[in-house]
Amino acid sequence: KYRQEVLGKKGAASVDKEYLIGYRDILYVEVYGEGSMAIGPAAPATAMEATGPLPQEGIRGRGTGGSEVGMDGRVSLRHLGDVYVVGMTLPQLADYLKKLYSTIYGDPMVIATLLQSNSRQYTVMGQIKAPGLFHLDFPTTIVKAIAKAGGFTEWANAEVTVIRQGNDLVVEQGQKQPQKKVEKFTFDYDDFLKGKHVEKNILLEPGDVVVVH
């Protein structure tokens, strides 16, 4: 309501999808007044100590100050041990941990923060100079993904296909399990340069495969 009052009609615009915790993400969990509950390499006592430059591509390290979500979907926390967290949003995780830590601290205030996203990735392959697996750390369109991968090779014909297999962690409303649907999007870079079909320069989603022909 207040957002709409400040921004007018723009305030009614839909918001981005909430982040879903995935495998190898680095999480920082704190119980207010009790310090960090994260168990990880050199985990500091406060979130302020957990900052620092992080590598951007390839296999990223575990960072410092947080706990890594293992391949079993669990994160290690003080006083609780291993807790399954994959598929939760950060607010859901905070509410869940509040219930668990209530058995120890009474009425705790739990802070759950994402320190490093390792689970959101996309693939670029084909006639591209630097094919590979890339981290989706910010909204990335097809054109940005091509630029990030070094641009076209001399044999490319400027046609691009995006294959989207869906997110196994996302259960659509009214469904009991994730939908295994596959979508295919086409994009012509030459048309884009001419100002045609610019709407086809879509935002990528985790798991997307970008094939440059």
Side-chain angles (χ1 to χ4, degrees), residues 11 30 34 39 41 46 76 83 114 121 123 143 154 158 169-170 210:
E30 178 181 349
E34 301 294 336
I39 299 177
T46 67
S76 296
V83 179
L114 177 71
Q121 298 175 327
T123 304
V143 170
E154 59 183 301
L169 302 179
V170 178
V210 181

Side-chain angles (χ1 to χ4, degrees), residues 186-207:
T186 58
F187 174 76
D188 190 302
Y189 186 73
D190 287 339
D191 281 350
F192 177 79
L193 292 180
K194 297 174 184 176
K196 300 179 181 179
H197 308 299
V198 294
E199 73 281 356
K200 290 190 174 184
N201 184 30
I202 62 172
L203 288 170
L204 299 182
E205 294 186 2

